[in-house]
Amino acid sequence: MRTDITKINEKTPYQDLTEGLMVFAGGTAKLFKTGEWRNNTPVWDSEKCRQCLLCTPCCPDSSIPVMSGRRGNFDYDHCKGCGICANVCPFGAITMKEGMEP
Ligand code: SF4
Ligand code: SF4
């Protein structure tokens, strides 16, 4: 359920990307690795991060994992690059980078 990400470029037709809005069975959303739709990519600076966890609930794609009360790095398989997390971070620990690679 995923395009070979190394073969995607500006000429890749949208039809070749992972489909959205298709549910074949319960609990399958994780298999749809729609991070390939991303045009911009958030980059996390763990040194600046104060673990306030404001960013996590704001992510519409649940792409900021929390383990033992601390956030981890982004789930780039599902992050769409919307930039909301970078906007809400009060400590400048997230910057947006052009392109789909962190
Ligand atoms: S850029 Fe958007 S989708 Fe990606 S982690 Fe941040 S809030 Fe979530
Ligand atoms: S909002 Fe910023 S400081 Fe707070 S957990 Fe997220 S990245 Fe870290």
Side-chain angles (χ1 to χ4, degrees):
M1 292 194 209
R2 183 175 188 171
T3 310
D4 181 349
I5 217 162
T6 62
K7 293 180 181 163
I8 295 174
N9 58 48
E10 66 277 3
K11 293 179 182 163
T12 304
Y14 74 90
Q15 294 95 334
D16 287 356
L17 301 179
T18 298
E19 306 89 343
L21 302 173
M22 300 176 78
V23 179
F24 297 104
T28 57
K30 198 171 181 180
L31 301 176
F32 285 87
K33 298 185 176 177
T34 46
E36 67 196 17
W37 300 353
R38 192 170 59 241
N39 287 321
N40 296 298
T41 299
V43 179
W44 178 49
D45 184 337
S46 60
E47 297 292 317
K48 289 184 181 173
C49 176
R50 307 237 189 128
Q51 294 293 341
C52 67
L53 299 184
L54 281 175
C55 55
T56 301
C58 295
C59 175
D61 288 305
S62 300
S63 296
I64 305 175
V66 176
M67 290 151 289
S68 302
R70 296 177 64 82
R71 70 153 286 176
N73 203 3
F74 293 105
D75 169 7
Y76 290 119
D77 282 342
H78 298 95
C79 163
K80 307 285 191 309
C82 67
I84 292 172
C85 56
N87 267 320
V88 301
C89 177
F91 302 108
I94 302 170
T95 52
M96 297 303 293
K97 186 179 164 196
E98 197 171 325
M100 66 181 300
E101 297 299 329

